[in-house]
Amino acid sequence: MASFLPNLVLFFSCFSLLAFISAATLKTQPQIPIRPNKLVLRVQKDDATNLHVAQIYKRNPPVQFPFVIDLNGRFLTENCENQYLSLGYNAPFCHSTLCARANPNSPMTCRTCSSRTQIGCHPNACGLMTTNPVTRQSALGELAQDVLTISSTQGSGPGPMVQIPQFLFACAPSNILQNGLPKNVQGIAGLGHSPISLPYQLASHFGFPPKFAVCLPPSSDRSGVVFFGEGPYFMKPNIDVSQKLTYTPLIIGRQGEYYINVQSIKINNKIVPLNTSLLTYTPEQGVGGTMISTTTPYTILQTSIFRAVTQFYINQLQGLPQVKPVAPFGVCFDAKRFTGSSTAAFPSIDLVLDNNQNIIWRISAPNIFVQPRPFIGCLGFVDGGLKPQASIVIGAMQLEENLLQFDLTNSRLGFSNYLLPRTSCTNFNFGKSSTGAEESTECTDEP
């Protein structure tokens, strides 16, 4: 008994010390928020295609893959045919509640497979029509569920990683994702107005309003950002770019695309003469109007609008010699004659919105001129033909260095106009990941 008491005292002393150390350790460990109110993705530009790619963690255990950002895509589409390994994969049945949620405006289609059962090919699975947004090639895929992991944020840098255990997406046949897209991408990240798009699933799972913001980088050497959730969105040097946004109504297309109401176009504060009936979106036919797109590298204009805008712009540059156009552009200049080191002095193009002369989306000169070859500068607009789906498609180049906030609850678009020199889309402080490792900026399919 005499030897028992010292041992008992020693035991409780050690236990108390361990409890103290454990409590202190827990206090210093980052606590993963159960319901974060904001999430963030890193975005990079692919120089070969001029498309923008987000790094997304999928599967269980998580693996990082590059996905092309598709502003109008209805869901996340993934190539599941190339060694898809995960403990979390599930294929919802046809005619299930999940299948109805994924196909809100079309009859449910049952997926049948001629080959053996495998990932992306299960009997009686829910079918989803998947589309390559660049080539427009489509094929029937399979509705699937798996783990999606994403970084939380308080707005000024990445925080702990959080998960959606049963994130809905589409497994697409690999052949439709082979052309027109950046090398080695795993799929398409759809941000469109759809029940299972990335913004809606993230908002529904974590309980914040369906709102997201896109800030695209102008080059591949630095990263841009996509935010999910309400602001603030801080860019170095500590500037909240969600402040001082200009707002305009957001129009939803028949397939969940995002349109805005452009009333007129001005250059040098002068109205460009146009057939304004082309600027009106007709929902019954799904034609006309102005659509915003991240999978269209350069703004596309209906032929008569293209001719009017480019000729009006040429008239503002009297004395600047034109050269033979470089495809896909229709108007190019001798860049050796540009004065100074940039195009900042050239006129901007103003999109006047909603019959309000004070609501203007200003396309600044750096978003207008592109240099496809040395000493050649072209207007970054493409002739879209006489009868395109949308009369104007604002392309990715014209979106770069602009913060666009899509408020899906209130159906409005907030836009910052050109951020430079105040700050930049590349000024979000990604710093280090939640594991403490420096985050990679390369488009890779490695973890």
Side-chain angles (χ1 to χ4, degrees):
M1 181 70 177
S3 62
F4 174 77
L5 287 175
N7 290 336
L8 186 63
V9 171
L10 179 62
F11 171 80
F12 278 109
S13 298
C14 293
F15 181 84
S16 298
L17 179 62
L18 286 172
F20 174 80
I21 293 173
S22 298
T25 302
L26 284 172
K27 288 181 181 178
T28 60
Q29 290 294 319
Q31 300 299 303
I32 296 179
I34 297 176
R35 297 183 77 83
N37 61 7
K38 202 167 17 269
L39 307 167
V40 65
L41 285 176
R42 178 194 290 272
V43 178
Q44 298 150 265
K45 184 174 182 177
D46 177 68
D47 286 335
T49 60
N50 292 309
L51 300 177
H52 295 80
V53 175
Q55 302 296 328
I56 298 178
Y57 286 89
K58 285 286 310 308
R59 310 182 186 181
N60 181 22
V63 182
Q64 181 178 277
F65 294 103
F67 286 78
V68 171
I69 292 290
D70 182 5
L71 187 61
N72 298 307
R74 296 185 296 123
F75 38 75
L76 187 143
T77 302
E78 184 171 358
N79 174 11
C80 302
E81 295 181 357
N82 185 21
Q83 297 181 339
Y84 191 106
L85 301 175
S86 177
L87 300 175
Y89 187 92
N90 177 55
F93 287 116
C94 189
H95 301 298
S96 64
T97 302
L98 292 176
C99 190
R101 181 183 174 194
N103 293 278
N105 299 315
S106 56
M108 286 180 277
T109 303
C110 298
R111 164 97 166 166
T112 57
C113 294
S114 56
S115 60
R116 60 183 176 84
T117 299
Q118 57 187 357
I119 295 293
C121 189
H122 288 82
N124 198 36
C126 177
L128 268 184
M129 188 58 65
T130 61
T131 302
N132 181 319
V134 177
T135 64
R136 308 309 304 172
Q137 182 183 2
S138 296
L140 189 65
E142 175 178 281
L143 179 65
Q145 290 177 297
D146 210 334
V147 179
L148 182 139
T149 305
I150 188 170
S151 178
S152 62
T153 182
Q154 295 303 312
S156 57
M161 305 293 281
V162 294
Q163 290 186 334
I164 298 183
Q166 296 177 316
F167 182 84
L168 289 165
F169 66 102
C171 273
S174 60
N175 63 304
I176 76 161
L177 299 175
Q178 292 174 350
N179 298 317
L181 302 177
K183 186 179 179 181
N184 295 327
V185 294
Q186 187 68 17
I188 311 295
L191 306 182
H193 193 278
S194 165
I196 65 167
S197 70
L198 206 53
Y200 271 103
Q201 285 200 75
L202 294 175
S204 174
H205 183 81
F206 292 109
F208 54 75
K211 179 182 292 189
F212 69 98
V214 177
C215 211
L216 300 180
S219 61
S220 61
D221 57 347
R222 298 183 69 185
S223 297
V225 60
V226 176
F227 297 100
F228 299 94
E230 193 74 69
Y233 315 132
F234 286 104
M235 304 291 191
K236 294 180 285 188
N238 199 35
I239 294 174
D240 179 8
V241 291
S242 69
Q243 298 296 315
K244 298 182 180 179
L245 296 180
T246 301
Y247 293 96
T248 188
L250 193 60
I251 303 167
I252 307 303
R254 295 197 300 178
Q255 297 297 320
E257 312 98 326
Y258 298 118
Y259 285 78
I260 56 173
N261 187 17
V262 174
Q263 291 292 315
S264 62
I265 299 174
K266 288 184 176 182
I267 299 175
N268 263 350
N269 207 33
K270 303 169 187 174
I271 294 181
V272 179
L274 299 172
N275 177 0
T276 55
S277 67
L278 295 170
L279 301 178
T280 302
Y281 175 67
T282 307
E284 295 79 13
Q285 288 80 37
V287 296
T290 300
M291 184 169 66
I292 309 171
S293 171
T294 54
T295 54
T296 303
Y298 306 100
T299 290
I300 298 176
L301 304 174
Q302 187 270 354
T303 294
S304 67
I305 299 175
F306 174 82
R307 290 173 180 170
V309 169
T310 54
Q311 187 58 55
F312 204 97
Y313 204 94
I314 291 169
N315 294 342
Q316 311 306 304
L317 302 179
Q318 293 181 3
L320 189 63
Q322 291 182 241
V323 297
K324 182 179 179 181
V326 178
F329 310 108
V331 176
C332 297
F333 301 92
D334 181 0
K336 295 192 296 293
R337 301 288 295 273
F338 288 1
T339 56
S341 58
S342 73
T343 58
F346 289 101
S348 60
I349 296 176
D350 293 344
L351 306 181
V352 182
L353 307 174
D354 311 314
N355 286 320
N356 187 333
Q357 297 296 313
N358 296 320
I359 307 297
I360 292 175
W361 179 334
R362 176 158 291 165
I363 304 175
S364 299
N367 290 125
I368 294 174
F369 280 91
V370 60
Q371 193 167 357
R373 292 180 187 170
F375 309 117
I376 295 179
C378 301
L379 300 183
F381 301 95
V382 177
D383 187 340
L386 291 172
K387 293 184 178 181
Q389 174 187 343
S391 299
I392 299 175
V393 179
I394 303 175
M397 178 190 169
Q398 283 68 41
L399 304 180
E400 292 168 355
E401 293 292 12
N402 288 260
L403 180 90
L404 301 181
Q405 184 190 65
F406 295 80
D407 182 346
L408 305 183
T409 299
N410 298 304
S411 296
R412 68 175 187 170
L413 172 73
F415 56 96
S416 66
N417 284 320
Y418 196 61
L419 288 173
L420 292 171
R422 189 167 59 103
T423 185
S424 168
C425 285
T426 65
N427 278 3
F428 182 74
N429 183 23
F430 278 101
K432 295 183 178 182
S433 69
S434 58
T435 63
E438 197 72 32
E439 290 205 337
S440 168
T441 58
E442 297 181 359
C443 294
T444 174
D445 57 1
E446 294 296 322

